[in-house]
Amino acid sequence: MVVVDAGVGDRLALAVVVQYRAATTEQVHLLTAPGVRIEQTRRRLAKLRGEGLVDRVTLPQAGRTRVWFPTRYGVRVTSEWPELRGRRPARAVSDRTAVRLKAAHALTVTETGLSFVQDARHHGDTCTPLDWIPEVHHATGGGEAVIPDALLFYRRGRSGGHWSMLRAFVEVDRATMGPERLAAKLTAYARLHEYVPQTGGRRQALQQMPGPQAWRRHYPLFPRLLFVLDGTGPAGITNRITALRAAAKSTDVLVLRATPVLAAPLADLLQHGPSASVWHHIHPGYDGQQVAWHHSA
């Protein structure tokens, strides 16, 4: 058994770096210790690096930004922690070259998660740094899977009063793929919504009544779909929302009738916070409607 002697702050910082895969010093600071000076976070990360738990790469094209990522030892240590059990990242998460090449997208995903955490703090809701879980694998059969950029847990309301738990699959699009490829993700989520795993052999499966969808093992309701759009101007945002709406019209599945599917520019989330941002409804028949991300289906 691997043992590490770390305080509460060290433990949270390491857990965040492992779970988020990549984060800048400022992002780690704002996620884990916004109430203290950033120098304390710098010292903490340096300590964790000295213990072989995290490492960093420097991005020369981004003002020499330091990007922190977990080492294999750091991943091994945290795999025994209850708060991260079952969330072990892929091996490439500790590869310096892979981290450097994926840094732009990974840091954008981290920044999106940070916006939800900060929004919850501002409104008195509950969304801890570890309630943002990147790249959760969801099998859809035939060796295929849906892997959202992040799974979000967000509890609206205060303890002891009225509250509701919201769950969302979040896709962060940086305009590195065409609008049609982005829109095709709706079809993938439709497959996930309908996927029922087979038990036993093919003949036995044909004789059985259809079982529950696989996602029901993990969620009481199918998580809402949030598309966060970045890397393009207003015209590009409009084109991508139009493509998503066109795909929604041609995808006649239950998930699009029972689950909120919304899109918003990342710039709006960073400026106003997710709760105050205007989200565009993707559902057929809702063209032009704009809602809050936490609205009811």
Side-chain angles (χ1 to χ4, degrees):
M1 178 178 179
V2 181
V3 178
V4 61
D5 181 18
V8 174
D10 292 355
R11 182 182 179 110
L12 179 57
L14 176 57
V16 163
V17 173
V18 171
Q19 182 155 296
Y20 283 63
R21 318 299 176 85
T24 66
T25 304
E26 183 181 17
Q27 287 173 335
V28 175
H29 176 68
L30 292 174
L31 283 165
T32 64
V36 302
R37 294 172 62 86
I38 195 171
E39 285 76 13
Q40 183 171 325
T41 300
R42 291 194 180 101
R43 289 195 297 269
R44 174 167 288 133
L45 288 169
K47 175 185 176 184
L48 294 174
R49 187 184 187 211
E51 294 170 339
L53 296 163
V54 303
D55 204 349
R56 70 189 185 201
V57 295
T58 302
L59 305 180
Q61 71 275 24
R64 299 193 62 80
T65 298
R66 289 178 174 177
V67 180
W68 296 92
F69 63 95
T71 63
R72 291 185 180 180
Y73 176 56
V75 171
R76 196 164 83 247
V77 168
T78 58
S79 68
E80 301 179 3
W81 295 358
E83 61 267 38
L84 293 184
R85 188 168 294 137
R87 300 180 188 174
R88 176 173 292 187
R91 291 183 179 179
V93 75
S94 299
D95 183 90
R96 296 179 63 87
T97 301
V99 170
R100 178 177 59 82
L101 294 176
K102 296 179 179 180
H105 181 73
L107 293 180
T108 304
V109 173
T110 297
E111 193 70 12
T112 305
L114 173 60
S115 74
F116 281 95
V117 172
Q118 291 179 315
D119 203 43
R121 291 170 180 163
H122 177 72
H123 292 283
D125 297 328
T126 301
C127 181
T128 73
L130 299 183
D131 286 330
W132 177 265
I133 312 173
E135 298 183 5
V136 179
H137 186 278
H138 297 79
T140 56
E144 297 185 353
V146 170
I147 306 175
D149 285 322
L151 169 64
L152 168 68
F153 291 90
Y154 189 107
R155 196 175 88 163
R156 295 193 69 209
R158 297 180 182 274
S159 300
H162 176 73
W163 61 272
S164 59
M165 176 60 75
L166 303 173
R167 303 164 186 83
F169 294 130
V170 185
E171 292 288 348
V172 179
D173 173 61
R174 299 180 53 251
T176 55
M177 64 177 69
E180 291 76 17
R181 285 186 60 192
L182 172 65
K185 293 189 176 184
L186 283 177
T187 304
Y189 281 104
R191 288 198 306 269
L192 174 61
H193 186 272
E194 302 301 320
Y195 171 60
V196 177
Q198 293 186 0
T199 58
R202 185 171 182 272
R203 178 177 297 179
Q204 181 180 351
L206 292 173
Q207 295 173 346
Q208 292 177 338
M209 295 292 291
Q213 296 100 322
W215 63 264
R216 294 186 184 275
R217 299 176 182 175
H218 308 285
Y219 315 109
L221 297 173
F222 194 79
R224 59 196 60 206
L225 309 183
L226 304 180
F227 289 87
V228 178
L229 309 176
D230 191 34
T232 184
I237 296 291
T238 299
N239 289 339
R240 304 180 100 68
I241 291 173
T242 299
L244 285 167
R245 285 177 173 157
K249 289 179 180 178
S250 63
T251 308
D252 184 22
V253 291
L254 182 61
V255 63
L256 296 179
R257 291 181 243 132
T259 303
V261 183
L262 309 167
L266 175 60
D268 287 2
L269 271 66
L270 300 183
Q271 181 177 358
H272 306 293
S275 295
S277 296
V278 173
W279 292 78
H280 299 264
H281 225 314
I282 301 303
H283 285 257
Y286 288 87
D287 289 7
Q289 288 201 19
Q290 300 174 343
V291 296
W293 80 270
H294 45 63
H295 88 295
S296 299

